[in-house]
């Protein structure tokens, strides 16, 4: 084990954890359903039913990272970027991806990726970038749709409170920073129980009229199975009537990039110095300065050129991202400054974010922040 890992390990109670407990917690914060269609987040290699001897957190999985995990006694690697991104037809050791896969499998090391599902949550990658700059009044730069649903059901009066509590407990009723949101209206329902039924109220063969409450609430779509299971579990009726509809509303915390305000208005040069300092940069590629004062900044971790139009429309004076191509810089149109700080540089603090989240949940479990800088891009002079 490395000395850093030994220290962290000795401070823990060495509690046995199953890999699935760790990855399941991460997916509760950054659901896999939030990843882009082209992505490959989730468990890449390994068996998530095995005990975890330790986890190493990194941005990229390379052979050196796998070796580091081996020497530290970790059998789980949690990376931002998926080790397998494109389809592989052969695994014979050609290139760093295949070499890393072979070493990981030989040493029974699981590899997990938390990529665009983390990018697309406001408290994820871009959120940590905003933390570094001290941005306030944040909002998502481009909201995503198709992530919210609503459930409607009908329950006898007197049983509605128990039902609401169950649905709230399953993750329903969250609207932005408000919880336990629901709409309820009283009415009556009718039914005739047939032969072989076991009605909660009423008699078989007779039409029954029951005072009921219609309960409806919004929930994240990925929780649908849990919501329906909880509904059925507490609902007193033998046959439960309910509807689930997908909403076109955007989830307030789900989407690409962020905007936020600086604590004070700055010149463009001051913002560049702030970015250079907070992200520990040696170089920043940027468009010509406009001479405007800067209050609002838009940003996106990783490759963010697709959000340049959104940054323009947001009213931001600065857009901070990476992987901007030559012709894409023209998209600033003299209205704002586009600053490209590098892919690795924009995402480097994702490692700290994952460490912080995991330690808050598993404070007696050994976690290791990689000591390897996997950035393949170097600058001369460095």
């Amino acid at each position: 084990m490395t000395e850093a890992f030994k220290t962290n390990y000795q401070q823990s109670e060495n509690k046995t954890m199953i890999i699935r407990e760790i990855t399941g917690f991460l997916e509760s914060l950054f659901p896999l359903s939030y990843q882009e269609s082209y992505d490959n987040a989730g468990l890449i290699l390994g068996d998530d039913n095995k005990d975890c001897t330790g986890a190493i957190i990194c941005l990229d999985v390379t052979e050196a990272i796998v070796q580091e995990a081996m020497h530290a006694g970790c059998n789980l690697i949690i990376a931002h970027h998926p080790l397998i991104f494109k389809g592989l037809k052969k695994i014979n050791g050609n290139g760093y991806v295949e070499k890393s896969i072979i070493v990981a499998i030989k040493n029974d090391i699981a590899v997990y990726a938390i990529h665009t599902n983390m990018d697309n949550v406001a408290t994820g990658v871009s959120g940590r970038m905003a933390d570094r700059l001290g941005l306030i009044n944040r909002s998502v730069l481009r909201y995503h749709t198709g992530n919210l649903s609503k459930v409607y059901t009908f329950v006898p009066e007197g049983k509605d409170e128990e039902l609401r509590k169950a649905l709230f407990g399953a993750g329903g009723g969250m609207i932005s920073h408000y919880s336990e949101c629901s709409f309820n209206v009283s009415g009556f329902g009718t039914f005739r129980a047939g032969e072989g039924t076991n009605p909660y109220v009423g008699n078989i063969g007779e039409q029954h009229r029951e005072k009921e409450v219609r309960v409806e609430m919004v929930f994240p779509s990925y929780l649908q199975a849990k919501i329906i299971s909880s509904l059925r579990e507490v609902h007193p009726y033998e046959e439960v009537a309910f509807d689930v509809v997908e909403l076109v509303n955007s989830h307030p915390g789900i989407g690409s990039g962020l905007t936020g305000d600086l604590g004070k208005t700055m010149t463009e040069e001051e913002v560049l110095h702030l970015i250079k300092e907070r992200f520990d940069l040696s170089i920043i590629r940027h468009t010509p300065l406009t001479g405007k004062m800067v209050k609002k900044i838009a940003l996106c971790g990783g490759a963010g050129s697709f959000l340049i139009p959104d940054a323009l429309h947001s009213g931001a004076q600065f857009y901070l991202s990476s992987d901007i191509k030559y012709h894409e810089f023209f998209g600033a149109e003299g209205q704002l400054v586009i600053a490209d700080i590098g892919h690795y540089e924009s995402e480097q603090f994702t490692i700290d974010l994952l460490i912080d989240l995991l330690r808050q949940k598993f404070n007696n479990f050994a976690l290791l922040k990689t000591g390897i800088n996997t950035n393949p891009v170097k600058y001369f002079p460095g």
Side-chain angles (χ1 to χ4, degrees):
M1 294 185 181
T2 63
E3 289 304 315
F5 184 80
K6 282 180 180 178
T7 301
N8 190 29
Y9 190 83
Q10 290 165 356
Q11 290 174 347
S12 75
E13 296 177 9
N14 193 20
K15 179 182 177 182
T16 300
M17 301 290 296
I18 297 173
I19 290 175
R20 186 176 62 252
E21 293 181 69
I22 301 165
T23 59
F25 167 68
L26 292 176
E27 289 172 17
S28 72
L29 302 176
F30 309 105
L32 293 179
S33 61
Y34 290 166
Q35 69 179 304
E36 300 292 343
S37 59
Y38 59 79
D39 201 8
N40 190 32
L43 188 66
I44 305 295
L45 296 174
D47 181 356
D48 62 3
N49 287 309
K50 289 192 172 182
D51 289 343
C52 185
T53 60
I56 188 167
I57 316 300
C58 59
L59 277 186
D60 310 283
V61 181
T62 63
E63 191 174 1
I65 292 288
V66 180
Q67 295 284 352
E68 183 183 28
M70 290 167 49
H71 295 151
C74 298
N75 68 344
L76 173 63
I77 296 172
I78 299 173
H80 182 47
H81 296 132
L83 174 59
I84 301 175
F85 198 72
K86 299 178 180 178
L88 293 174
K89 293 185 177 181
K90 298 178 182 179
I91 302 177
N92 50 29
N94 289 327
Y96 85 93
V97 172
E98 295 179 21
K99 290 177 181 177
S100 301
I101 292 171
I102 291 171
V103 176
I105 292 175
K106 282 183 175 180
N107 292 276
D108 201 18
I109 295 175
V111 177
Y112 183 86
I114 182 165
H115 193 210
T116 55
N117 52 319
M118 195 177 189
D119 290 329
N120 290 333
V121 176
T123 54
V125 178
S126 294
R128 184 47 64 105
M129 291 177 68
D131 292 343
R132 299 294 299 180
L133 296 175
L135 300 186
I136 57 177
N137 304 324
R138 302 177 192 180
S139 62
V140 172
L141 185 54
R142 179 187 291 182
Y143 287 101
H144 291 187
T145 59
N147 293 305
L148 289 175
S149 297
K150 180 180 280 191
V151 61
Y152 304 82
T153 192
F154 311 86
V155 64
E157 285 188 352
K159 293 291 183 179
D160 50 304
E161 182 62 23
E162 181 182 2
L163 177 69
R164 281 190 293 272
K165 286 182 179 179
L167 296 180
F168 295 150
M174 289 290 300
I175 300 178
S176 189
H177 298 295
Y178 293 86
S179 62
E180 300 187 5
C181 302
S182 69
F183 181 76
N184 308 269
V185 61
S186 297
F188 68 88
T190 64
F191 60 86
R192 185 190 302 274
E195 293 297 327
T197 61
N198 183 27
Y200 172 69
V201 289
N203 300 314
I204 293 175
E206 298 178 2
Q207 186 191 81
H208 179 78
R209 177 178 292 200
E210 182 70 17
K211 289 183 178 180
E212 294 179 331
V213 178
R214 168 174 163 151
V215 179
E216 57 184 86
M217 67 178 65
V218 173
F219 64 90
S221 298
Y222 75 93
L223 290 176
Q224 180 169 318
K226 187 176 181 181
I227 289 288
I228 295 175
S229 176
S230 297
L231 189 158
R232 291 186 182 279
E233 184 176 343
V234 302
H235 203 293
Y237 286 172
E238 184 178 26
E239 296 291 340
V240 182
F242 66 91
D243 299 294
V244 174
V245 297
E246 184 177 316
L247 304 179
V248 297
N249 308 54
S250 57
H251 191 301
I254 306 302
S256 302
L258 284 180
T259 63
D261 294 334
L262 292 165
K264 63 177 182 179
T265 302
M266 297 183 179
T267 66
E268 293 167 327
E269 291 86 351
E270 287 174 330
V271 173
L272 287 171
H273 282 293
L274 177 67
I275 293 170
K276 186 174 183 292
E277 174 194 346
R278 297 294 171 85
F279 288 86
D280 192 23
L281 306 175
S282 60
I283 188 171
I284 301 176
R285 300 168 65 228
H286 64 84
T287 54
L289 303 184
T290 68
K292 297 178 181 178
M293 298 298 291
V294 180
K295 179 66 175 178
K296 186 174 185 179
I297 292 180
L299 54 80
C300 177
S305 60
F306 69 103
L307 289 175
I308 291 175
D310 301 83
L312 279 171
H313 296 150
S314 73
Q317 295 85 39
F318 238 88
Y319 179 51
L320 174 63
S321 191
S322 71
D323 296 355
I324 310 296
K325 296 180 181 179
Y326 175 84
H327 288 97
E328 292 168 340
F329 278 105
F330 286 105
E333 298 182 1
Q335 297 181 40
L336 83 170
V337 176
I338 297 175
D340 182 336
I341 64 173
H343 196 115
Y344 179 93
E345 289 80 1
S346 71
E347 296 178 337
Q348 60 184 303
F349 301 108
T350 303
I351 298 175
D352 296 318
L353 174 58
L354 287 168
I355 289 282
D356 291 344
L357 293 171
L358 288 167
R359 283 183 177 160
Q360 288 171 17
K361 177 65 175 179
F362 308 109
N363 58 7
N364 57 353
F365 181 73
L367 296 165
L368 177 64
K369 176 180 177 179
T370 180
I372 299 173
N373 184 323
T374 58
N375 189 0
V377 181
K378 306 299 178 185
Y379 304 96
F380 182 82

